[in-house]
Amino acid sequence: MEESILLEASQKANQSRQTSPPEGKGQNRKPPAEPAPESQASDVQDNAIPTAWFQDWLDWQCRMIAGVMQGAIFLPDAKHKDLQPVTAWPTDQPAALLKKAATQALSVGESIVQSLRACNFGDRRHCDVVALPVRLNPNTVCIISIAFSHRAEPQQRTVSQLLQWGAVWLESLARHHRKIQHQHATILFECLSAVLSREPMDKILMEITNKLAKYFQCERVSLGLRQNLRVRLQSISHTARFDSRMALIQRIEAAMEEAVDQAAIISYPQQSRPLVTRAHSELAKGQGHPYLCTLPLPGMSQPLGALTLERSHQPFDSETIAFCQSIVNLIAPALELKWQQKQRLLGQIAGSLKTLATRLFGPGHWKLKSACAVLLAATLFSAFFEGEYRVTAPAVLQSTLVQAIVAPQEGYLKKVWVRPGDTVQAGDVLASLEDSHLLSEQQKWQSELRKRQQEYHQALARRDRVQMGVARAQLNQAEAELKLVQEALAKTQLRSPIDGVIIRGDLSQSLGAPVKIGQVLFEVAPLENYHALIQVDEHDIAAIRRGQTGRLVLASQPDRPMTVTIDRIIPLAETGEAGNSFPVEARLTAKDAALRPGMQGIAKINAGRHSLLWIWTHPVWQRLKLWLWSLGL
């Protein structure tokens, strides 16, 4: 019998999974599937599981056990003094014997089985009852109680075991629901924290749309706020800037206004009630995101704006929409206060300007009128009086000519006589290379030369023409080898080719280090041939022309300005800490022996005559025009 009950329960479970009968009280229903994370906006009750999940589970469980007459799930009341039914099967009101069994199971803290209890279920007058307490969370315990036809004790244990197996699923649903509630609470807290932060309004809206797009797995989330009679888009998820003239922005704003005008949540393409969705249809077709949901933001007197969510993988179900609405209802009041403060600031500015105009053109306030008159006179004077416009930029002295001293041959550094900053004359020895091996080679060939000379004189004395020719050839070879060694010895002395100053090459800490042919060891710059390299900001480079003159003041000689003339504009931008700049070469018209390469200063280039008002305001005006253009104005 025990095996037959288990087999019958298994067959019914398989049958329920293969069929999908319509839902309804007293009809077969599938066991409740765990909802996907994005559709977890169910009503949050004090229970560990929503009531609908209890109903579906009990309906499925009672149909899995043969001979069940009635089943019920009880929860303790707020004071834990009495049990209240959460749901019952197949009727709404459970029998008293189920509640008694549930109370006893709760008191003992384990499952109980009661046999041959008096009942009144149709033609049945006796039944067995099983009650099982299930801990849904640390603070909540539910009691499952079912009545079934009388059977032997082994079969009763089988029914109790089946009920315990089903309770494992109920506990899993409880854990899943707690996880859902934790996720909901987290995103609600994050959105509310963002609204209540001290960040600027634009940053707050960007943070909210980004969080909602990630949580609901949306391709795009947009938030718009009402300005006068229109809803203007304020933020798009993962988009720092956008142009309000774009067709996409206009379609999103039209969809928001469509929901605000109807004061209803629009879920496209499915709708629970007939609504106008033309703007949503155009937005879905234009962007390839077929599933849209727009929720109006409630305000104190009128809608504050709207929130539009777009995604491609699945539509927005009722639970997701309900949870989105709870988020909107939570953040809307604080968002409205911040938006009113921002609009109030603009109104205060307009009011201040209006008050100022009233004082200027009304009676009294002579001090203010006098100050404005003086300011107006100064503005008119600066607008008509011209002055010399000068472009100011940092500059550094550089040598026009730089002579490199390279290693003429491989060897080892023997001695160094100069360091950067030392003044040298043409022909001065700067450094020397190791020459001991060359000196030995020189002595060798000097001895060889004397030997060949002696052989030649002996052949000459004997008048031996053949021997004289051989000796002469060997003598020439020895002279050539000796000359090569002497030239190599001369190259071990590195000399300055010009008068100047050492600007690079500190080898004092490299004695004995090997050098290679062509390796640059020193750089020498002449003392008088300098030019100024001026770094002109990219905002001012358009005013610079070749041949313009200016003044250069070095940090080491602030009381001695020097005249410079622009020779060359290098059309290659360089990026620095202050932004982009263009190098400009300018020659010095006067020579000064105290100048050294690397000296820094400030150059002011004469860039033409303009009105004083233009000179004072054009940098701000240029940057303002660039900023307005970036905003699409």
Side-chain angles (χ1 to χ4, degrees), residues 99-132:
K99 184 175 181 180
K100 290 181 180 179
T103 303
Q104 183 178 354
L106 179 62
S107 62
V108 299
E110 60 183 12
S111 63
I112 63 170
V113 178
Q114 297 178 347
S115 182
L116 290 175
R117 294 293 177 177
C119 65
N120 187 17
F121 297 126
D123 57 350
R124 300 292 181 91
R125 292 295 178 263
H126 294 86
C127 66
D128 297 339
V129 179
V130 173
L132 173 68

PDB file of all heavy atoms in Angstrom, residues 99-132:
ATOM      1  N   LYS A  99      -7.510  23.094  12.343  1.00  0.00           N
ATOM      2  CA  LYS A  99      -6.902  24.118  13.191  1.00  0.00           C
ATOM      3  C   LYS A  99      -6.420  23.518  14.502  1.00  0.00           C
ATOM      4  O   LYS A  99      -5.347  23.889  15.013  1.00  0.00           O
ATOM      5  CB  LYS A  99      -7.906  25.238  13.437  1.00  0.00           C
ATOM      6  CG  LYS A  99      -7.347  26.406  14.234  1.00  0.00           C
ATOM      7  CD  LYS A  99      -8.365  27.530  14.345  1.00  0.00           C
ATOM      8  CE  LYS A  99      -7.777  28.691  15.133  1.00  0.00           C
ATOM      9  NZ  LYS A  99      -8.741  29.821  15.268  1.00  0.00           N
ATOM     10  N   LYS A 100      -7.201  22.567  15.084  1.00  0.00           N
ATOM     11  CA  LYS A 100      -6.768  21.941  16.333  1.00  0.00           C
ATOM     12  C   LYS A 100      -5.467  21.170  16.123  1.00  0.00           C
ATOM     13  O   LYS A 100      -4.542  21.229  16.942  1.00  0.00           O
ATOM     14  CB  LYS A 100      -7.858  21.009  16.845  1.00  0.00           C
ATOM     15  CG  LYS A 100      -9.105  21.723  17.353  1.00  0.00           C
ATOM     16  CD  LYS A 100     -10.131  20.724  17.862  1.00  0.00           C
ATOM     17  CE  LYS A 100     -11.389  21.421  18.369  1.00  0.00           C
ATOM     18  NZ  LYS A 100     -12.411  20.448  18.852  1.00  0.00           N
ATOM     19  N   ALA A 101      -5.398  20.422  15.014  1.00  0.00           N
ATOM     20  CA  ALA A 101      -4.177  19.673  14.740  1.00  0.00           C
ATOM     21  C   ALA A 101      -2.994  20.611  14.507  1.00  0.00           C
ATOM     22  O   ALA A 101      -1.868  20.356  14.959  1.00  0.00           O
ATOM     23  CB  ALA A 101      -4.379  18.780  13.517  1.00  0.00           C
ATOM     24  N   ALA A 102      -3.242  21.739  13.825  1.00  0.00           N
ATOM     25  CA  ALA A 102      -2.171  22.709  13.573  1.00  0.00           C
ATOM     26  C   ALA A 102      -1.685  23.323  14.881  1.00  0.00           C
ATOM     27  O   ALA A 102      -0.481  23.515  15.094  1.00  0.00           O
ATOM     28  CB  ALA A 102      -2.660  23.791  12.618  1.00  0.00           C
ATOM     29  N   THR A 103      -2.626  23.614  15.806  1.00  0.00           N
ATOM     30  CA  THR A 103      -2.240  24.190  17.100  1.00  0.00           C
ATOM     31  C   THR A 103      -1.382  23.207  17.890  1.00  0.00           C
ATOM     32  O   THR A 103      -0.384  23.586  18.515  1.00  0.00           O
ATOM     33  CB  THR A 103      -3.489  24.569  17.890  1.00  0.00           C
ATOM     34  OG1 THR A 103      -4.288  25.475  17.121  1.00  0.00           O
ATOM     35  CG2 THR A 103      -3.119  25.225  19.208  1.00  0.00           C
ATOM     36  N   GLN A 104      -1.773  21.940  17.865  1.00  0.00           N
ATOM     37  CA  GLN A 104      -1.003  20.926  18.600  1.00  0.00           C
ATOM     38  C   GLN A 104       0.393  20.762  17.986  1.00  0.00           C
ATOM     39  O   GLN A 104       1.386  20.667  18.705  1.00  0.00           O
ATOM     40  CB  GLN A 104      -1.753  19.586  18.575  1.00  0.00           C
ATOM     41  CG  GLN A 104      -1.050  18.487  19.374  1.00  0.00           C
ATOM     42  CD  GLN A 104      -1.836  17.176  19.375  1.00  0.00           C
ATOM     43  OE1 GLN A 104      -2.957  17.132  18.879  1.00  0.00           O
ATOM     44  NE2 GLN A 104      -1.248  16.135  19.918  1.00  0.00           N
ATOM     45  N   ALA A 105       0.493  20.749  16.636  1.00  0.00           N
ATOM     46  CA  ALA A 105       1.798  20.605  15.981  1.00  0.00           C
ATOM     47  C   ALA A 105       2.694  21.802  16.294  1.00  0.00           C
ATOM     48  O   ALA A 105       3.908  21.665  16.485  1.00  0.00           O
ATOM     49  CB  ALA A 105       1.620  20.478  14.466  1.00  0.00           C
ATOM     50  N   LEU A 106       2.106  23.004  16.383  1.00  0.00           N
ATOM     51  CA  LEU A 106       2.891  24.181  16.714  1.00  0.00           C
ATOM     52  C   LEU A 106       3.408  24.115  18.136  1.00  0.00           C
ATOM     53  O   LEU A 106       4.550  24.524  18.420  1.00  0.00           O
ATOM     54  CB  LEU A 106       2.048  25.449  16.509  1.00  0.00           C
ATOM     55  CG  LEU A 106       2.730  26.772  16.837  1.00  0.00           C
ATOM     56  CD1 LEU A 106       3.940  26.995  15.922  1.00  0.00           C
ATOM     57  CD2 LEU A 106       1.738  27.936  16.697  1.00  0.00           C
ATOM     58  N   SER A 107       2.590  23.598  19.040  1.00  0.00           N
ATOM     59  CA  SER A 107       2.996  23.534  20.454  1.00  0.00           C
ATOM     60  C   SER A 107       4.122  22.526  20.668  1.00  0.00           C
ATOM     61  O   SER A 107       5.035  22.758  21.447  1.00  0.00           O
ATOM     62  CB  SER A 107       1.795  23.192  21.342  1.00  0.00           C
ATOM     63  OG  SER A 107       1.281  21.913  20.988  1.00  0.00           O
ATOM     64  N   VAL A 108       4.068  21.369  19.962  1.00  0.00           N
ATOM     65  CA  VAL A 108       5.106  20.357  20.145  1.00  0.00           C
ATOM     66  C   VAL A 108       6.306  20.602  19.248  1.00  0.00           C
ATOM     67  O   VAL A 108       7.389  20.042  19.464  1.00  0.00           O
ATOM     68  CB  VAL A 108       4.535  18.947  19.885  1.00  0.00           C
ATOM     69  CG1 VAL A 108       3.426  18.649  20.867  1.00  0.00           C
ATOM     70  CG2 VAL A 108       4.043  18.796  18.447  1.00  0.00           C
ATOM     71  N   GLY A 109       6.149  21.415  18.211  1.00  0.00           N
ATOM     72  CA  GLY A 109       7.255  21.773  17.337  1.00  0.00           C
ATOM     73  C   GLY A 109       7.648  20.699  16.360  1.00  0.00           C
ATOM     74  O   GLY A 109       8.783  20.702  15.853  1.00  0.00           O
ATOM     75  N   GLU A 110       6.771  19.746  16.041  1.00  0.00           N
ATOM     76  CA  GLU A 110       7.072  18.698  15.067  1.00  0.00           C
ATOM     77  C   GLU A 110       5.768  18.210  14.469  1.00  0.00           C
ATOM     78  O   GLU A 110       4.664  18.558  14.926  1.00  0.00           O
ATOM     79  CB  GLU A 110       7.824  17.541  15.721  1.00  0.00           C
ATOM     80  CG  GLU A 110       7.063  16.864  16.835  1.00  0.00           C
ATOM     81  CD  GLU A 110       7.868  15.762  17.504  1.00  0.00           C
ATOM     82  OE1 GLU A 110       9.093  15.682  17.258  1.00  0.00           O
ATOM     83  OE2 GLU A 110       7.268  14.984  18.259  1.00  0.00           O
ATOM     84  N   SER A 111       5.884  17.394  13.424  1.00  0.00           N
ATOM     85  CA  SER A 111       4.680  16.897  12.745  1.00  0.00           C
ATOM     86  C   SER A 111       3.935  15.890  13.642  1.00  0.00           C
ATOM     87  O   SER A 111       4.556  15.152  14.418  1.00  0.00           O
ATOM     88  CB  SER A 111       5.060  16.240  11.418  1.00  0.00           C
ATOM     89  OG  SER A 111       5.887  15.114  11.642  1.00  0.00           O
ATOM     90  N   ILE A 112       2.625  15.875  13.488  1.00  0.00           N
ATOM     91  CA  ILE A 112       1.794  14.945  14.243  1.00  0.00           C
ATOM     92  C   ILE A 112       0.826  14.262  13.280  1.00  0.00           C
ATOM     93  O   ILE A 112       0.495  14.816  12.210  1.00  0.00           O
ATOM     94  CB  ILE A 112       1.016  15.635  15.368  1.00  0.00           C
ATOM     95  CG1 ILE A 112       0.024  16.666  14.772  1.00  0.00           C
ATOM     96  CG2 ILE A 112       1.954  16.317  16.358  1.00  0.00           C
ATOM     97  CD1 ILE A 112      -0.958  17.223  15.786  1.00  0.00           C
ATOM     98  N   VAL A 113       0.391  13.103  13.630  1.00  0.00           N
ATOM     99  CA  VAL A 113      -0.604  12.349  12.854  1.00  0.00           C
ATOM    100  C   VAL A 113      -1.726  11.954  13.803  1.00  0.00           C
ATOM    101  O   VAL A 113      -1.491  11.331  14.850  1.00  0.00           O
ATOM    102  CB  VAL A 113       0.011  11.102  12.199  1.00  0.00           C
ATOM    103  CG1 VAL A 113      -1.068  10.333  11.436  1.00  0.00           C
ATOM    104  CG2 VAL A 113       1.158  11.479  11.288  1.00  0.00           C
ATOM    105  N   GLN A 114      -2.967  12.327  13.475  1.00  0.00           N
ATOM    106  CA  GLN A 114      -4.146  11.974  14.281  1.00  0.00           C
ATOM    107  C   GLN A 114      -5.022  11.033  13.457  1.00  0.00           C
ATOM    108  O   GLN A 114      -5.352  11.334  12.306  1.00  0.00           O
ATOM    109  CB  GLN A 114      -4.919  13.233  14.678  1.00  0.00           C
ATOM    110  CG  GLN A 114      -4.125  14.186  15.563  1.00  0.00           C
ATOM    111  CD  GLN A 114      -4.906  15.454  15.889  1.00  0.00           C
ATOM    112  OE1 GLN A 114      -5.938  15.739  15.261  1.00  0.00           O
ATOM    113  NE2 GLN A 114      -4.417  16.187  16.878  1.00  0.00           N
ATOM    114  N   SER A 115      -5.399   9.938  14.060  1.00  0.00           N
ATOM    115  CA  SER A 115      -6.147   8.903  13.335  1.00  0.00           C
ATOM    116  C   SER A 115      -7.605   8.858  13.789  1.00  0.00           C
ATOM    117  O   SER A 115      -7.906   9.081  14.964  1.00  0.00           O
ATOM    118  CB  SER A 115      -5.483   7.538  13.562  1.00  0.00           C
ATOM    119  OG  SER A 115      -6.153   6.525  12.854  1.00  0.00           O
ATOM    120  N   LEU A 116      -8.489   8.585  12.831  1.00  0.00           N
ATOM    121  CA  LEU A 116      -9.927   8.397  13.074  1.00  0.00           C
ATOM    122  C   LEU A 116     -10.537   9.564  13.841  1.00  0.00           C
ATOM    123  O   LEU A 116     -11.125   9.432  14.900  1.00  0.00           O
ATOM    124  CB  LEU A 116     -10.179   7.081  13.826  1.00  0.00           C
ATOM    125  CG  LEU A 116      -9.923   5.798  13.024  1.00  0.00           C
ATOM    126  CD1 LEU A 116     -10.090   4.586  13.915  1.00  0.00           C
ATOM    127  CD2 LEU A 116     -10.879   5.743  11.830  1.00  0.00           C
ATOM    128  N   ARG A 117     -10.390  10.750  13.251  1.00  0.00           N
ATOM    129  CA  ARG A 117     -11.023  11.944  13.812  1.00  0.00           C
ATOM    130  C   ARG A 117     -12.400  12.106  13.197  1.00  0.00           C
ATOM    131  O   ARG A 117     -12.604  11.856  11.994  1.00  0.00           O
ATOM    132  CB  ARG A 117     -10.168  13.184  13.536  1.00  0.00           C
ATOM    133  CG  ARG A 117      -8.824  13.164  14.248  1.00  0.00           C
ATOM    134  CD  ARG A 117      -9.008  13.273  15.744  1.00  0.00           C
ATOM    135  NE  ARG A 117      -7.731  13.174  16.451  1.00  0.00           N
ATOM    136  CZ  ARG A 117      -7.622  13.298  17.764  1.00  0.00           C
ATOM    137  NH1 ARG A 117      -8.712  13.490  18.513  1.00  0.00           N
ATOM    138  NH2 ARG A 117      -6.434  13.184  18.339  1.00  0.00           N
ATOM    139  N   ALA A 118     -13.336  12.555  14.046  1.00  0.00           N
ATOM    140  CA  ALA A 118     -14.692  12.780  13.550  1.00  0.00           C
ATOM    141  C   ALA A 118     -14.689  13.955  12.595  1.00  0.00           C
ATOM    142  O   ALA A 118     -14.084  14.987  12.861  1.00  0.00           O
ATOM    143  CB  ALA A 118     -15.638  13.042  14.714  1.00  0.00           C
ATOM    144  N   CYS A 119     -15.365  13.792  11.470  1.00  0.00           N
ATOM    145  CA  CYS A 119     -15.407  14.855  10.466  1.00  0.00           C
ATOM    146  C   CYS A 119     -16.741  14.822   9.758  1.00  0.00           C
ATOM    147  O   CYS A 119     -17.553  13.911   9.955  1.00  0.00           O
ATOM    148  CB  CYS A 119     -14.265  14.685   9.475  1.00  0.00           C
ATOM    149  SG  CYS A 119     -14.380  13.178   8.487  1.00  0.00           S
ATOM    150  N   ASN A 120     -16.929  15.792   8.907  1.00  0.00           N
ATOM    151  CA  ASN A 120     -18.164  15.890   8.138  1.00  0.00           C
ATOM    152  C   ASN A 120     -17.815  16.360   6.730  1.00  0.00           C
ATOM    153  O   ASN A 120     -18.140  17.465   6.314  1.00  0.00           O
ATOM    154  CB  ASN A 120     -19.142  16.845   8.816  1.00  0.00           C
ATOM    155  CG  ASN A 120     -20.497  16.834   8.123  1.00  0.00           C
ATOM    156  OD1 ASN A 120     -20.808  15.916   7.360  1.00  0.00           O
ATOM    157  ND2 ASN A 120     -21.291  17.856   8.388  1.00  0.00           N
ATOM    158  N   PHE A 121     -17.132  15.484   5.990  1.00  0.00           N
ATOM    159  CA  PHE A 121     -16.740  15.773   4.613  1.00  0.00           C
ATOM    160  C   PHE A 121     -17.564  14.885   3.692  1.00  0.00           C
ATOM    161  O   PHE A 121     -17.204  13.730   3.432  1.00  0.00           O
ATOM    162  CB  PHE A 121     -15.237  15.513   4.390  1.00  0.00           C
ATOM    163  CG  PHE A 121     -14.352  16.388   5.217  1.00  0.00           C
ATOM    164  CD1 PHE A 121     -13.391  15.828   6.034  1.00  0.00           C
ATOM    165  CD2 PHE A 121     -14.481  17.769   5.184  1.00  0.00           C
ATOM    166  CE1 PHE A 121     -12.556  16.630   6.788  1.00  0.00           C
ATOM    167  CE2 PHE A 121     -13.667  18.569   5.943  1.00  0.00           C
ATOM    168  CZ  PHE A 121     -12.700  18.023   6.754  1.00  0.00           C
ATOM    169  N   GLY A 122     -18.714  15.389   3.257  1.00  0.00           N
ATOM    170  CA  GLY A 122     -19.578  14.590   2.400  1.00  0.00           C
ATOM    171  C   GLY A 122     -20.118  13.405   3.147  1.00  0.00           C
ATOM    172  O   GLY A 122     -20.746  13.525   4.198  1.00  0.00           O
ATOM    173  N   ASP A 123     -19.896  12.189   2.628  1.00  0.00           N
ATOM    174  CA  ASP A 123     -20.372  10.966   3.273  1.00  0.00           C
ATOM    175  C   ASP A 123     -19.337  10.384   4.208  1.00  0.00           C
ATOM    176  O   ASP A 123     -19.518   9.308   4.770  1.00  0.00           O
ATOM    177  CB  ASP A 123     -20.753   9.930   2.210  1.00  0.00           C
ATOM    178  CG  ASP A 123     -19.598   9.613   1.291  1.00  0.00           C
ATOM    179  OD1 ASP A 123     -18.570  10.348   1.358  1.00  0.00           O
ATOM    180  OD2 ASP A 123     -19.709   8.675   0.484  1.00  0.00           O
ATOM    181  N   ARG A 124     -18.202  11.069   4.368  1.00  0.00           N
ATOM    182  CA  ARG A 124     -17.165  10.572   5.274  1.00  0.00           C
ATOM    183  C   ARG A 124     -17.415  11.109   6.679  1.00  0.00           C
ATOM    184  O   ARG A 124     -17.687  12.299   6.863  1.00  0.00           O
ATOM    185  CB  ARG A 124     -15.777  11.020   4.797  1.00  0.00           C
ATOM    186  CG  ARG A 124     -15.419  10.532   3.403  1.00  0.00           C
ATOM    187  CD  ARG A 124     -15.219   9.016   3.363  1.00  0.00           C
ATOM    188  NE  ARG A 124     -14.858   8.549   2.032  1.00  0.00           N
ATOM    189  CZ  ARG A 124     -13.608   8.433   1.607  1.00  0.00           C
ATOM    190  NH1 ARG A 124     -12.617   8.751   2.422  1.00  0.00           N
ATOM    191  NH2 ARG A 124     -13.362   7.995   0.395  1.00  0.00           N
ATOM    192  N   ARG A 125     -17.314  10.176   7.687  1.00  0.00           N
ATOM    193  CA  ARG A 125     -17.523  10.586   9.068  1.00  0.00           C
ATOM    194  C   ARG A 125     -16.249  10.477   9.898  1.00  0.00           C
ATOM    195  O   ARG A 125     -16.204  10.957  11.023  1.00  0.00           O
ATOM    196  CB  ARG A 125     -18.622   9.708   9.710  1.00  0.00           C
ATOM    197  CG  ARG A 125     -19.987   9.944   9.121  1.00  0.00           C
ATOM    198  CD  ARG A 125     -20.460  11.370   9.411  1.00  0.00           C
ATOM    199  NE  ARG A 125     -21.746  11.649   8.812  1.00  0.00           N
ATOM    200  CZ  ARG A 125     -21.920  12.250   7.659  1.00  0.00           C
ATOM    201  NH1 ARG A 125     -20.852  12.647   6.957  1.00  0.00           N
ATOM    202  NH2 ARG A 125     -23.117  12.481   7.167  1.00  0.00           N
ATOM    203  N   HIS A 126     -15.227   9.842   9.332  1.00  0.00           N
ATOM    204  CA  HIS A 126     -13.959   9.747  10.030  1.00  0.00           C
ATOM    205  C   HIS A 126     -12.827   9.974   9.029  1.00  0.00           C
ATOM    206  O   HIS A 126     -12.946   9.624   7.839  1.00  0.00           O
ATOM    207  CB  HIS A 126     -13.799   8.367  10.705  1.00  0.00           C
ATOM    208  CG  HIS A 126     -14.763   8.124  11.807  1.00  0.00           C
ATOM    209  ND1 HIS A 126     -16.049   7.616  11.591  1.00  0.00           N
ATOM    210  CD2 HIS A 126     -14.665   8.324  13.160  1.00  0.00           C
ATOM    211  CE1 HIS A 126     -16.687   7.514  12.741  1.00  0.00           C
ATOM    212  NE2 HIS A 126     -15.874   7.936  13.722  1.00  0.00           N
ATOM    213  N   CYS A 127     -11.766  10.529   9.526  1.00  0.00           N
ATOM    214  CA  CYS A 127     -10.612  10.828   8.654  1.00  0.00           C
ATOM    215  C   CYS A 127      -9.356  10.861   9.508  1.00  0.00           C
ATOM    216  O   CYS A 127      -9.400  10.908  10.738  1.00  0.00           O
ATOM    217  CB  CYS A 127     -10.796  12.136   7.912  1.00  0.00           C
ATOM    218  SG  CYS A 127     -10.823  13.586   8.997  1.00  0.00           S
ATOM    219  N   ASP A 128      -8.236  10.850   8.852  1.00  0.00           N
ATOM    220  CA  ASP A 128      -6.935  11.038   9.492  1.00  0.00           C
ATOM    221  C   ASP A 128      -6.441  12.457   9.198  1.00  0.00           C
ATOM    222  O   ASP A 128      -6.740  13.030   8.139  1.00  0.00           O
ATOM    223  CB  ASP A 128      -5.912  10.026   8.975  1.00  0.00           C
ATOM    224  CG  ASP A 128      -6.322   8.596   9.318  1.00  0.00           C
ATOM    225  OD1 ASP A 128      -7.138   8.430  10.252  1.00  0.00           O
ATOM    226  OD2 ASP A 128      -5.814   7.682   8.654  1.00  0.00           O
ATOM    227  N   VAL A 129      -5.674  13.010  10.131  1.00  0.00           N
ATOM    228  CA  VAL A 129      -5.169  14.389   9.991  1.00  0.00           C
ATOM    229  C   VAL A 129      -3.658  14.369  10.217  1.00  0.00           C
ATOM    230  O   VAL A 129      -3.171  13.754  11.175  1.00  0.00           O
ATOM    231  CB  VAL A 129      -5.847  15.349  10.994  1.00  0.00           C
ATOM    232  CG1 VAL A 129      -5.276  16.761  10.839  1.00  0.00           C
ATOM    233  CG2 VAL A 129      -7.355  15.355  10.789  1.00  0.00           C
ATOM    234  N   VAL A 130      -2.934  15.077   9.328  1.00  0.00           N
ATOM    235  CA  VAL A 130      -1.495  15.288   9.477  1.00  0.00           C
ATOM    236  C   VAL A 130      -1.249  16.786   9.551  1.00  0.00           C
ATOM    237  O   VAL A 130      -1.776  17.550   8.722  1.00  0.00           O
ATOM    238  CB  VAL A 130      -0.694  14.683   8.297  1.00  0.00           C
ATOM    239  CG1 VAL A 130       0.785  15.073   8.402  1.00  0.00           C
ATOM    240  CG2 VAL A 130      -0.824  13.194   8.298  1.00  0.00           C
ATOM    241  N   ALA A 131      -0.501  17.212  10.547  1.00  0.00           N
ATOM    242  CA  ALA A 131      -0.138  18.632  10.700  1.00  0.00           C
ATOM    243  C   ALA A 131       1.380  18.730  10.775  1.00  0.00           C
ATOM    244  O   ALA A 131       2.022  17.978  11.515  1.00  0.00           O
ATOM    245  CB  ALA A 131      -0.775  19.230  11.944  1.00  0.00           C
ATOM    246  N   LEU A 132       1.944  19.691  10.003  1.00  0.00           N
ATOM    247  CA  LEU A 132       3.403  19.815   9.904  1.00  0.00           C
ATOM    248  C   LEU A 132       3.801  21.289  10.030  1.00  0.00           C
ATOM    249  O   LEU A 132       3.366  22.115   9.223  1.00  0.00           O
ATOM    250  CB  LEU A 132       3.902  19.272   8.554  1.00  0.00           C
ATOM    251  CG  LEU A 132       5.379  19.482   8.242  1.00  0.00           C
ATOM    252  CD1 LEU A 132       6.251  18.644   9.190  1.00  0.00           C
ATOM    253  CD2 LEU A 132       5.675  19.117   6.788  1.00  0.00           C
TER     254      LEU A 132
END
